[in-house]
Amino acid sequence: MGTWFDRNFVEPGKLPLLLALAAFVVTFLVTRTITRLIRAGRGPFRNITPGGMHIHHVVPGVVLAVVGGFGAVSSGKRGVAAGICAVIFGVGAGLVLDEFALILHLDDVYWSEQGRQSVEVVILTAALVGLLVAGFSPIGVDSVSSREAGGRATAITVLLLDLLFVAITLVKGKPKTALLGVLVPFLAWVGAVRLARPGSPWARRFYARHPHRRARALVRAYRHDRDWVRRARRFQDLIGGAPDRLPAGG
């Protein structure tokens, strides 16, 4: 076990990234647990309101992310200092992204429907960093063989095709798939080949004169949202807490 860990994490210099990911995930889960307890009025935790001003946890998060980030850059990929800075950065990033929706909307939407965006960003960030820890390289660099890499033209062509598929997926209104496709080209290829989301730039440009294709895109989007969005929201509510329900007519 120790040999496997050293070979896959310590020697390649991935240990700080692994520590940052672990600190990020743990910080998010602990923060959500505490905020849910505060919301329910349970436990010893309370909002920090010196002088009547609510201090959101994004504030210490920014400080920790800055300290840990600059410390990590200056300490390199190995050593105790690199590990400590990685943990500090992971904690700070977890606190910041837990309130991503607040930063985006410049409003306290933590327990509103818009607050789900924070949970989505945290899950997406954890997935992307997890792929990096697992050894995936951006835009399919890891899929290029050593022989192909020897011919620069072939390697550059493969990378440009991957990047093109990512761009098409993004224009088709699938930003999450496009982002994951940067690390896993297969996802970008699937997103680029399948129908665009209604209202996306691709749909407005290429489906306007093709009502049959536009209808298929609408039906597919409806079925996708019906089957998957509900499940995704249940998962988000499980780990992040359900948003406040608006009163009828509100």
Side-chain angles (χ1 to χ4, degrees):
M1 179 65 180
T3 304
W4 175 86
F5 187 83
D6 289 341
R7 183 175 64 252
N8 290 278
F9 296 103
V10 178
E11 292 178 4
K14 290 184 179 180
L15 183 57
L17 186 61
L18 178 63
L19 292 173
L21 174 61
F24 175 78
V25 173
V26 170
T27 298
F28 170 73
L29 295 176
V30 171
T31 302
R32 281 283 164 167
T33 300
I34 293 175
T35 54
R36 291 172 76 171
L37 289 173
I38 293 174
R39 185 190 189 193
R42 301 176 180 175
F45 305 104
R46 296 292 182 271
N47 289 324
I48 301 175
T49 55
M53 180 176 65
H54 182 189
I55 303 297
H56 292 273
H57 48 269
V58 67
V59 176
V62 169
V63 175
L64 291 174
V66 170
V67 171
F70 280 112
V73 169
S74 62
S75 61
K77 292 184 177 181
R78 293 173 174 82
V80 177
I84 293 174
C85 290
V87 171
I88 294 174
F89 175 78
V91 172
L95 292 173
V96 170
L97 292 188
D98 184 53
E99 294 203 303
F100 172 82
L102 181 148
I103 301 172
L104 179 64
H105 296 278
L106 294 179
D107 193 12
D108 191 358
V109 294
Y110 195 84
W111 293 118
S112 69
E113 190 67 26
Q114 293 92 332
R116 292 183 186 272
Q117 294 170 323
S118 297
V119 182
E120 292 176 353
V121 168
V122 167
I123 294 174
L124 186 60
T125 301
L128 289 172
V129 178
L131 288 173
L132 288 174
V133 171
F136 288 85
S137 300
I139 54 175
V141 174
D142 58 335
S143 66
V144 180
S145 66
S146 57
R147 179 174 297 180
E148 289 175 333
R152 292 187 178 182
T154 303
I156 291 174
T157 301
V158 171
L159 298 182
L160 288 178
L161 281 175
D162 288 343
L163 192 58
L164 175 62
F165 287 134
V166 169
I168 292 175
T169 303
L170 186 61
V171 175
K172 282 192 170 185
K174 309 169 187 177
K176 297 174 186 175
T177 304
L179 190 57
L180 289 172
V182 171
L183 294 174
V184 187
F186 174 75
L187 296 178
W189 303 342
V190 172
V193 170
R194 304 196 72 178
L195 288 168
R197 294 280 301 181
S200 66
W202 184 282
R204 292 196 300 269
R205 174 65 178 83
F206 295 103
Y207 297 173
R209 298 182 181 179
H210 298 83
H212 177 67
R213 191 174 299 175
R214 184 170 65 249
R216 285 177 55 208
L218 287 169
V219 171
R220 183 179 178 278
Y222 168 76
R223 290 175 177 173
H224 175 273
D225 294 345
R226 180 193 61 189
D227 296 338
W228 291 102
V229 171
R230 186 183 308 165
R231 299 175 187 175
R233 290 190 172 186
R234 288 177 179 173
F235 179 69
Q236 292 169 8
D237 293 347
L238 176 65
I239 64 174
D244 293 330
R245 296 185 179 276
L246 294 175

